[in-house]
Amino acid sequence: MLGKTAGGLFWMFRYLERSENTARLIEAGQRIALTRSSSADDEWASVLQSAGAYGGFVDIHGTEISRDGAIDWMLRDSDNPSSVLNMAEAARNNGKTVRTALTREVWESINENWMTLRDALARKVPERDLPDVLALIRQRSAFVRGAMHGTMLRNDIYDFARIGTFMERADNTARILDVKYYVLLPSVVAVGTSIDNVQWQTILRSVSAEGGFHMTFGQDARPREIAQFLMLDKRMPRSLAFCVGKIRDNLGYLADDYGARLSCHDLCDQLAEHTMSHAIDEIIELGLHEFISDFLKSLASLGSQIETDYRFYN
């Protein structure tokens, strides 16, 4: 496969996943703000930081951050390259570039995703409409995934799309976990309180993990078990361990198809072994934020190496 095609597939599905994940992060921030006794607007700076959108916001709008301003920036501001609207357009543009590698159903779902979100985000979203708009973003992303799973051959095209999806998903789950410590718990005073537990359950809902968690651990949602579930449980489709495992699997399929192991395969093996080498109690003792920071750096290095090894821009 040409590197440009591989890169187009990889980034198309990263952009699609990122748009959905941004919606999930907004929802988490919205729910978390409802549990805060202080001004809710104070929390949105941390949400922007977790989304990697803080610097761009401040450059354009200054350091005074409101809920409405942050949400509009993350959803639809044309000056924010990672806004949901810009991500939907970028996914569509990449889809046009790799159109011959996609089934008709996948292309149509990508195109419809862009047209639907363009209309829904044509103007600032009122607070009363926000839950429906966030649900729509997640729904349109799910339609693309459904078309892909139902119609695409399991070949290198599928592998690059899946690698892009799980690279972005792992990044997002790690960032949402970090929100626990930078938005939910700026002070250790709240640890173990009822507010702390409500906020942790909000994190579960933000990654559609509440049902799976309760099936595994029962109704008592304790922070330790939630962290373990979202980081180390290989059955949970948004956990760090699950995502890294899928990246590793699809890179392995590419190695088999092309008859060559590359540097990215070794990096992925190292990341997988590091992710699963610690029990949750060790991670908490060493520092959850430090573990997540190391994970995100390793994940970014892996992404860069994949791009280099498969010559995405040639």
Side-chain angles (χ1 to χ4, degrees):
M1 182 186 294
L2 291 175
K4 185 176 182 180
T5 302
L9 291 161
F10 175 89
W11 280 104
M12 180 177 74
F13 280 90
R14 283 204 75 157
Y15 293 146
L16 181 70
E17 184 73 19
R18 189 177 301 175
S19 68
E20 178 183 355
N21 292 339
T22 297
R24 291 177 182 278
L25 193 57
I26 292 171
E27 182 179 21
Q30 183 84 333
R31 290 179 180 274
I32 290 163
L34 295 176
T35 71
R36 302 292 297 178
S37 58
S38 59
S39 171
D41 285 348
D42 294 343
E43 311 308 326
W44 286 98
S46 295
V47 174
L48 287 170
Q49 288 173 339
S50 297
Y54 179 81
F57 181 94
V58 169
D59 288 344
I60 301 294
H61 299 290
T63 56
E64 187 172 335
I65 299 171
S66 67
R67 169 201 170 277
D68 289 346
I71 290 175
D72 194 62
W73 175 257
M74 295 171 75
L75 282 180
R76 56 182 295 277
D77 198 307
S78 60
D79 291 324
N80 175 14
S82 292
S83 70
V84 168
L85 191 57
N86 280 338
M87 287 296 95
E89 184 176 14
R92 178 177 181 264
N93 289 341
N94 275 265
K96 289 166 67 176
T97 301
V98 299
R99 175 67 186 86
T100 57
L102 303 174
T103 60
R104 175 175 56 84
E105 291 85 356
V106 172
W107 163 245
E108 288 178 354
S109 63
I110 286 281
N111 197 39
E112 288 169 7
N113 176 66
W114 152 241
M115 292 189 294
T116 301
L117 296 187
R118 178 192 59 190
D119 294 342
L121 299 174
R123 57 190 60 83
K124 191 172 182 178
V125 180
E127 183 173 3
R128 68 179 182 277
D129 295 335
L130 183 62
D132 289 340
V133 170
L134 297 178
L136 179 66
I137 295 166
R138 295 196 304 272
Q139 181 191 66
R140 299 312 308 190
S141 180
F143 287 166
V144 179
R145 281 199 303 274
M148 180 186 172
H149 292 319
T151 66
M152 292 288 290
L153 291 174
R154 272 37 175 184
N155 56 11
D156 53 350
I157 294 170
Y158 185 84
D159 291 330
F160 281 115
R162 294 282 279 176
I163 291 167
T165 295
F166 286 108
M167 288 286 296
E168 193 65 36
R169 188 174 295 181
D171 180 270
N172 176 73
T173 296
R175 290 180 185 279
I176 283 183
L177 278 165
D178 229 12
V179 170
K180 169 60 183 168
Y181 279 79
Y182 285 93
V183 177
L184 283 75
L185 289 179
S187 169
V188 296
V189 172
V191 175
T193 66
S194 59
I195 289 177
D196 178 52
N197 291 334
V198 167
Q199 292 167 341
W200 271 110
Q201 291 189 60
T202 296
I203 294 297
L204 283 174
R205 286 195 295 269
S206 73
V207 292
S208 299
E210 193 172 21
F213 177 85
H214 291 313
M215 289 179 191
T216 304
F217 292 101
Q219 294 301 311
D220 188 11
R222 292 185 294 268
R224 177 190 175 279
E225 282 76 18
I226 293 173
Q228 177 180 331
F229 191 61
L230 295 184
M231 297 174 73
L232 303 179
D233 197 310
K234 294 181 180 180
R235 302 165 298 172
M236 196 276 162
R238 291 184 176 273
S239 75
L240 303 187
F242 184 95
C243 292
V244 172
K246 290 298 181 182
I247 296 167
R248 192 181 199 179
D249 288 345
N250 284 277
L251 283 173
Y253 301 147
L254 290 175
D256 293 341
D257 288 344
Y258 296 154
R261 276 185 62 90
L262 304 171
S263 297
C264 62
H265 295 92
D266 295 331
L267 276 182
C268 190
D269 287 346
Q270 293 169 19
L271 177 59
E273 290 162 8
H274 175 71
T275 303
M276 298 305 298
S277 65
H278 300 287
I280 191 61
D281 291 329
E282 290 180 78
I283 293 172
I284 292 172
E285 184 176 349
L286 292 170
L288 179 59
H289 172 64
E290 288 72 16
F291 182 90
I292 291 174
S293 295
D294 289 345
F295 178 87
L296 287 169
K297 289 175 185 176
S298 297
L299 190 70
S301 297
L302 174 60
S304 297
Q305 193 61 52
I306 290 171
E307 294 189 30
T308 298
D309 286 348
Y310 288 104
R311 302 178 182 179
F312 279 5
Y313 302 106
N314 288 356

